[in-house]
C-alpha cells in the first residue's frame, strides 16, 4: 500500500513480508512490526486500520466484529466499525472507488486505482 499526501507525494509504502509488516518512509527510514496498526502508529503517529481495510475497500463490514451499516452501494453507503466511520463517496463498475475513513480528528481518503481479479 502506498500512502500519499493530498497532492500525490509519496509519504510511505507498507508491505507485508510473511507475518511481519514493513513501512518505508519517503526519506527511506524503515520500520518493521508484527502488527500493521502498531507500525503506522510508530512511524506516522496515527493508526491505519489495516486489519479492517480488506473488507472496507470491498464495501462491507468485517464479519467478526460489531458494525452499523447504513445505505447501500452508490447510495450513501456508510459503515461504522471499530471506532471508524467509513463513507463511500464513489463506486465504479459496482466496486468502491473513493472512500473516506474518519476517526477522532483523523480523516483518511482512499482511492482504489486498480482491482486485481
Amino acid at each position: 500500500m502506498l500512502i500519499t499526501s493530498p497532492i500525490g507525494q509519496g509519504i510511505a509504502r507498507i508491505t507485508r513480508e510473511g507475518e511481519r509488516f514493513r513501512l518505508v518512509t519517503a526519506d527511506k527510514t524503515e520500520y518493521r512490526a508484527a502488527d500493521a496498526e502498531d507500525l503506522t502508529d510508530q512511524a506516522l503517529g496515527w493508526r491505519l486500520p489495516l486489519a479492517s481495510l480488506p473488507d472496507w475497500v470491498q464495501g462491507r463490514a468485517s464479519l467478526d466484529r460489531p458494525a452499523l451499516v447504513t445505505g447501500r452501494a452508490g447510495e450513501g453507503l456508510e459503515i461504522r466499525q471499530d471506532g471508524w466511520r467509513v463513507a463511500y463517496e464513489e463506486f465504479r463498475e459496482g466496486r468502491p472507488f473513493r472512500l473516506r475513513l474518519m476517526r477522532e480528528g483523523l480523516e483518511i481518503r482512499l482511492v482504489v486505482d486498480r482491482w486485481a481479479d
Side-chain angles (χ1 to χ4, degrees):
M1 169 183 277
L2 176 64
I3 301 172
T4 62
S5 71
I7 59 171
Q9 180 181 7
I11 296 172
R13 180 175 297 276
I14 300 171
T15 56
R16 185 174 185 166
E17 299 171 341
E19 295 298 315
R20 296 191 56 82
F21 292 88
R22 183 176 85 144
L23 184 146
V24 179
T25 62
D27 67 359
K28 306 293 187 221
T29 303
E30 189 171 309
Y31 300 85
R32 293 178 188 266
D35 178 83
E37 287 85 358
D38 288 342
L39 180 64
T40 56
D41 191 28
Q42 172 190 359
L44 306 173
W46 44 271
R47 297 176 69 81
L48 183 62
L50 289 173
S52 300
L53 276 181
D55 289 314
W56 292 349
V57 298
Q58 294 187 49
R60 65 178 183 236
S62 297
L63 295 177
D64 58 340
R65 292 180 311 285
L68 174 64
V69 179
T70 57
R72 58 184 180 168
E75 297 180 8
L77 178 61
E78 185 173 287
I79 297 171
R80 291 179 183 258
Q81 189 170 38
D82 300 334
W84 288 88
R85 182 168 66 101
V86 183
Y88 296 83
E89 297 179 334
E90 185 178 347
F91 281 76
R92 290 190 181 171
E93 298 177 11
R95 290 181 159 171
F97 176 68
R98 292 185 191 277
L99 52 149
R100 286 185 301 138
L101 286 69
M102 295 158 280
R103 179 182 188 161
E104 301 168 1
L106 176 64
E107 181 175 311
I108 301 168
R109 294 174 186 245
L110 293 176
V111 175
V112 180
D113 62 0
R114 181 174 31 114
W115 285 96
D117 291 319

